[in-house]
Amino acid sequence: MPLKAPSKAGGRPESTAALRHPAARLRLRLAEATAVLPAADRGVFAFESFVDGLGFLEPRERARVKLAGSEIFDNLMHHAAPLRGDAVTVRASLRGERCTLAFYFKSQTFGTRLGACEDEREPLFDPERRRWRGIGLKMCRNLAFKIRYRSGAALDRIYLEFRP
Amino acid sequence: MTQLDIVERRDGDRHVVAVAGPVNSYTYTDFQEKVNKALVQHPLVVVDMEKVTTLSSAGIGVLMAALDDAEAEGKRIAILRPSEIAMLALESTGFGDRFPVYKNLRDL
């Protein structure tokens, strides 16, 4: 029985005898979606809509991508702005069991901040805003299997990898 | 959905703050204001999170601060039936056991 290729827009393949083989399932879980989002105030809502539309992810996967990704997106808006073109390109892809969320942008400060990044910092109470801060990165580390940051002359990138 | 809707009601001796929509860095101040005000006026505040569509670290930071304040003042704050994504967010902080989560009001 020939295997059907999944559409790029997502959707799970039908369950057939041929698809019950793990290798067949892995091969079929291939999909990706890309969007250019405004690097602007309230841009995180556009990111959340983007993730809500990722029909090729299971609801639980989508929730993890949404939570971790929106923390990254928020941090970019608050700490890496201004971004070239006032835009961030976001790509979500699924390869077998591995889901990757990538952010592409160009910031004047990202490289410098990356060098001084205190990634292991524990949450601290902010008396001015009357809330705890520093929780976002902790959430990202717990939600994602891996996080990679790369600063470049032409492009900065952040990759989050999720596994079941 | 970009708007946070907050509806408050009384249920016996409990003050319920029902939240619907995204609790993120752009909406958390409304959430913070309502929860803190309720905590000043009532000994038991229940935050109903059944219709929360996302919960960012900003919202969790508010909840953690409210829990600290409630404890310090001999009051209680409880989280009622969080949505799946809200529960995942709470667990992902590594402080999941810090949040008093209930499935039903009668369990309080």
Side-chain angles (χ1 to χ4, degrees), chain A residues 17-103:
Chain A
L19 300 186
R20 283 191 205 114
H21 190 280
R25 279 208 304 274
L26 283 175
R27 201 159 30 150
L28 278 172
R29 276 175 53 101
L30 291 171
E32 71 172 43
T34 305
V36 180
L37 304 179
D41 197 27
R42 303 177 70 84
V44 73
F45 292 111
F47 173 78
E48 288 170 2
S49 295
F50 168 74
V51 178
D52 285 340
L54 298 176
F56 54 82
L57 296 181
E58 298 280 2
R60 182 84 174 172
E61 288 174 319
R62 210 160 43 229
R64 288 162 64 195
V65 169
K66 189 175 184 180
L67 289 171
S70 52
E71 293 297 330
I72 297 290
F73 193 93
D74 240 3
N75 273 349
L76 288 177
M77 296 305 105
H78 288 109
H79 305 298
L83 303 184
R84 189 175 62 201
D86 292 325
V88 180
T89 299
V90 187
R91 179 172 298 145
S93 58
L94 190 64
R95 301 279 181 275
E97 296 297 300
R98 193 181 69 190
C99 169
T100 305
L101 180 68
F103 294 86

Side-chain angles (χ1 to χ4, degrees), chain B residues 59-97:
Chain B
I60 291 175
V62 167
L63 274 177
M64 285 174 64
L67 281 166
D68 293 343
D69 292 346
E71 275 178 13
E73 293 163 23
K75 295 183 174 183
R76 277 180 73 197
I77 186 163
I79 297 166
L80 184 65
R81 18 169 208 256
S83 61
E84 193 177 351
I85 195 165
M87 193 66 215
L88 180 62
L90 294 173
E91 287 169 350
S92 74
T93 61
F95 308 119
D97 54 355

Side-chain angles (χ1 to χ4, degrees), chain A residues 41 71 74 129-130 132 142, chain B residues 25-26 32 57 68-69 92:
Chain A
D41 197 27
E71 293 297 330
D74 240 3
R129 289 192 167 89
R130 292 210 42 77
W132 284 83
N142 288 331
Chain B
S25 58
Y26 296 97
Q32 183 176 42
S57 60
D68 293 343
D69 292 346
S92 74

Side-chain angles (χ1 to χ4, degrees), chain A residues 87-152:
Chain A
V88 180
T89 299
V90 187
R91 179 172 298 145
S93 58
L94 190 64
R95 301 279 181 275
E97 296 297 300
R98 193 181 69 190
C99 169
T100 305
L101 180 68
F103 294 86
Y104 303 94
F105 55 94
K106 185 58 201 162
S107 161
Q108 290 184 348
T109 59
F110 181 70
T112 319
R113 283 186 168 271
L114 198 54
C117 186
E118 294 177 43
D119 203 27
E120 296 303 320
R121 195 178 61 178
E122 288 300 313
L124 283 170
F125 183 71
D126 180 343
E128 197 177 311
R129 289 192 167 89
R130 292 210 42 77
R131 67 176 172 93
W132 284 83
R133 303 192 71 180
I135 302 166
L137 277 175
K138 209 175 217 341
M139 289 171 71
C140 288
R141 283 197 297 268
N142 288 331
L143 289 162
F145 178 70
K146 275 183 196 168
I147 305 176
R148 290 184 291 129
Y149 305 91
R150 178 179 163 186
S151 177

